[in-house]
Amino acid sequence: MQSFIGYRCSVCGKTYEQDELTYTCPNDGGNVDVILDYDRIKNTSSPGKIAASRDFSIWRYLDLLPVADPGHTGTPLWAVGWTPVFDLSVKAAEFGLKRLWLKDDGRNPTASFKDRASAVVVARAQQTGVEVTITASTGNAGAALAGMAAAASHPAVILAPKTAPPAKVAQLMIFGARVFLVDGNYDDAFDLSVEAANALGWYCRNTGYNPFTAEGKKTAAFEICEQLSGMVGQALQSNWYVPDAVFVSVGDGNIISGLHKGFKELSSLGWIERVPRIYGIQSEGSAAIANAYRAGTEEIKPVAADTLADSISVDLPRDGLRALRAATETGGAYLAVSDQAILDAMVELGKDVAVFAEPAGSTAYAGMKVAIEQGLIGANDEVLVMNTGSGLKDVGASMQATGKAPVIEPLLSALQSALEA
Ligand SMILES: *Cc1c(COP(=O)(O)O)cnc(C)c1O
Ligand SMILES: [Zn+2]
């Protein structure tokens, strides 16, 4: 909190004081990065200090966040982050990779990566004294805001497209948010939420608009480096460990931008030696950023999104520029995968790794497999794949991937013939 200085626009580079803006750059509408005072952080914090913390949540990184503690202890805000990293050594051998890890962010309190962002936005909302926070969401950002707002007793309003999967809508409702299903797509809900926030004096959490979402999301990069240090047996007092490549699914592009910022910050602090190559994976049916990457341009053209991975189904990515640079500035890449590859990855993760991912979560794993085929990663690489959401969010997609279980008579003979079938 004390190290929060102001903002810098990702388009024009202009810097702003803390109180000069709330969302995007007044010049050009560009997304802004929160600027922190790294010299101050170096003096007040260290890898050893953080490693000694008994707080196993995103709040162990409070020294690197632009908010004060929202009073998280003993509430679900305390369960955000510090999600497990699994060592997929059998898969690494099968794929010919040096090492392969999977970090399961489906295990956050509302079962997606979005809790990281919503927890920090709710902390910011409390500290600025706004009465209501609103967000547009394909489901997960809204569920995360509704859940984290409930944990902090803060009123939330959620606008989701009326096509959002039922489990996600149920989550919005149960956390007591005011929920409205918009007769339109996510982009329509986005525009309406911005208009409503401005007209009604509410705080808008929207992804790729509110600068504090990326601040929450960067904590996953911190965790990756700190947790891998523990897993490879590197002393946590000095530098933390960095994988060679990180794979993450991309819709609006805010998760990948947040991860990139997190790695850059650890590098600026001298706590890691280098930034990993970052690979953004999109669905072929929603590939605006991957298209720009392939065309070698920073101009991101909207698409008519059509993919079963609803959490990454986006016509116009709201954080496209920073998301593109997360790959181009780190030597990573963008790849697009088919819906079928996404479903296959869901099944493979469930069966071989015991992780139940939603389609947008398994997309990163599907992309990692394409990267192996294309020779982008190989025997020299230590690779970490993010799963961004739980499969319980969208059981329709998992049933589509696995087919239905047969119904049988409650008789041994029936079981035996079904086993043979
Ligand atoms: C939101 C979301 C993403 C994509 O994040 P962006 O910031 O929109 O790129 C990926 N997976 C899941 C499960 C999500 O909810
Ligand atoms: Zn600007």
Side-chain angles (χ1 to χ4, degrees), residues 281-338:
I281 314 301
Q282 296 204 282
S283 163
E284 282 170 359
S286 174
I289 305 174
N291 292 344
Y293 177 84
R294 214 173 308 138
T297 167
E298 285 198 330
E299 192 202 332
I300 294 161
K301 296 199 190 102
V303 297
D306 180 19
T307 170
L308 64 77
D310 62 291
S311 301
I312 51 171
S313 181
V314 174
D315 292 354
L316 176 65
R318 304 288 170 163
D319 212 347
L321 181 61
R322 289 192 300 188
L324 184 65
R325 290 177 181 168
T328 56
E329 287 179 6
T330 62
Y334 266 83
L335 295 168
V337 296
S338 68

Side-chain angles (χ1 to χ4, degrees), residues 11 19 59 90 99 149-150 171 225 244 250 266 276 290 333 381 386 395:
V11 176
D19 53 7
W59 306 108
V90 174
R99 267 181 160 133
Q171 259 190 315
C225 297
D244 296 301
V250 175
L266 294 184
D381 289 315
M386 286 295 319
V395 292

Side-chain angles (χ1 to χ4, degrees), residues 9-14 16 25 27-30:
C9 175
S10 61
V11 176
C12 67
K14 186 168 159 34
Y16 296 92
C25 175
N27 274 349
D28 48 30

Side-chain angles (χ1 to χ4, degrees), residues 198-220:
N198 291 337
L200 303 171
W202 295 347
Y203 191 44
C204 185
R205 177 222 176 276
N206 282 8
T207 297
Y209 181 65
N210 185 316
F212 287 81
T213 60
E215 293 301 298
K217 287 167 174 177
K218 76 184 184 185
T219 58

Side-chain angles (χ1 to χ4, degrees), residues 29-345:
N31 283 120
V32 297
D33 287 316
V34 166
I35 310 172
L36 300 176
D37 181 345
Y38 297 111
D39 288 330
R40 192 196 154 93
I41 294 171
K42 271 188 212 168
N43 290 330
T44 53
S45 193
S46 69
K49 179 189 161 194
I50 294 172
S53 169
R54 301 298 303 160
D55 188 336
F56 295 105
S57 74
I58 60 169
W59 306 108
R60 68 196 278 107
Y61 305 107
L62 209 49
D63 288 341
L64 287 81
L65 291 175
V67 290
D69 182 353
H72 67 285
T73 313
T75 78
L77 286 163
W78 203 11
V80 181
W82 204 254
T83 53
V85 175
F86 303 124
D87 186 349
L88 312 192
S89 52
V90 174
K91 286 280 168 197
E94 184 187 318
F95 296 149
L97 297 173
K98 192 166 165 196
R99 267 181 160 133
L100 180 61
W101 295 282
L102 183 113
K103 184 167 173 64
D104 188 7
D105 253 54
R107 299 184 185 227
N108 275 300
T110 78
S112 88
F113 193 108
K114 299 288 196 297
D115 283 337
R116 296 178 185 275
S118 290
V120 169
V121 167
V122 164
R124 175 70 180 169
Q126 278 184 337
Q127 285 145 34
T128 54
V130 292
E131 277 168 18
V132 176
T133 300
I134 184 171
T135 198
S137 169
T138 62
N140 285 342
L145 178 62
M148 296 304 103
S153 305
H154 178 77
V157 176
I158 318 291
L159 305 182
K162 68 171 189 206
T163 52
K168 293 185 181 179
V169 178
Q171 259 190 315
L172 301 176
M173 305 292 290
I174 208 75
F175 290 127
R178 302 225 32 208
V179 179
F180 301 96
L181 299 181
V182 175
D183 189 2
N185 63 12
Y186 168 62
D187 300 85
D188 297 322
F190 191 105
D191 294 341
L192 178 57
S193 63
V194 170
E195 201 183 340
N198 291 337
L200 303 171
W202 295 347
Y203 191 44
C204 185
R205 177 222 176 276
N206 282 8
T207 297
Y209 181 65
N210 185 316
F212 287 81
T213 60
E215 293 301 298
K217 287 167 174 177
K218 76 184 184 185
T219 58
F222 302 161
E223 289 173 21
I224 287 170
C225 297
E226 190 183 355
Q227 289 174 307
L228 289 188
S229 302
M231 291 179 78
V232 303
Q234 175 164 312
L236 288 151
Q237 280 66 34
S238 53
N239 276 4
W240 285 345
Y241 202 77
V242 202
D244 296 301
V246 173
F247 284 76
V248 64
S249 58
V250 175
D252 273 320
N254 192 242
I255 292 183
I256 194 170
S257 301
L259 282 169
H260 187 206
K261 185 168 194 270
F263 289 121
K264 281 192 289 190
E265 288 188 341
L266 294 184
S267 172
S268 307
L269 289 165
W271 296 3
I272 58 174
E273 278 163 14
R274 60 193 160 77
V275 169
R277 281 144 43 210
I278 302 177
Y279 293 85
I281 314 301
Q282 296 204 282
S283 163
E284 282 170 359
S286 174
I289 305 174
N291 292 344
Y293 177 84
R294 214 173 308 138
T297 167
E298 285 198 330
E299 192 202 332
I300 294 161
K301 296 199 190 102
V303 297
D306 180 19
T307 170
L308 64 77
D310 62 291
S311 301
I312 51 171
S313 181
V314 174
D315 292 354
L316 176 65
R318 304 288 170 163
D319 212 347
L321 181 61
R322 289 192 300 188
L324 184 65
R325 290 177 181 168
T328 56
E329 287 179 6
T330 62
Y334 266 83
L335 295 168
V337 296
S338 68
D339 278 4
Q340 189 57 50
I342 291 169
L343 289 178
D344 293 347

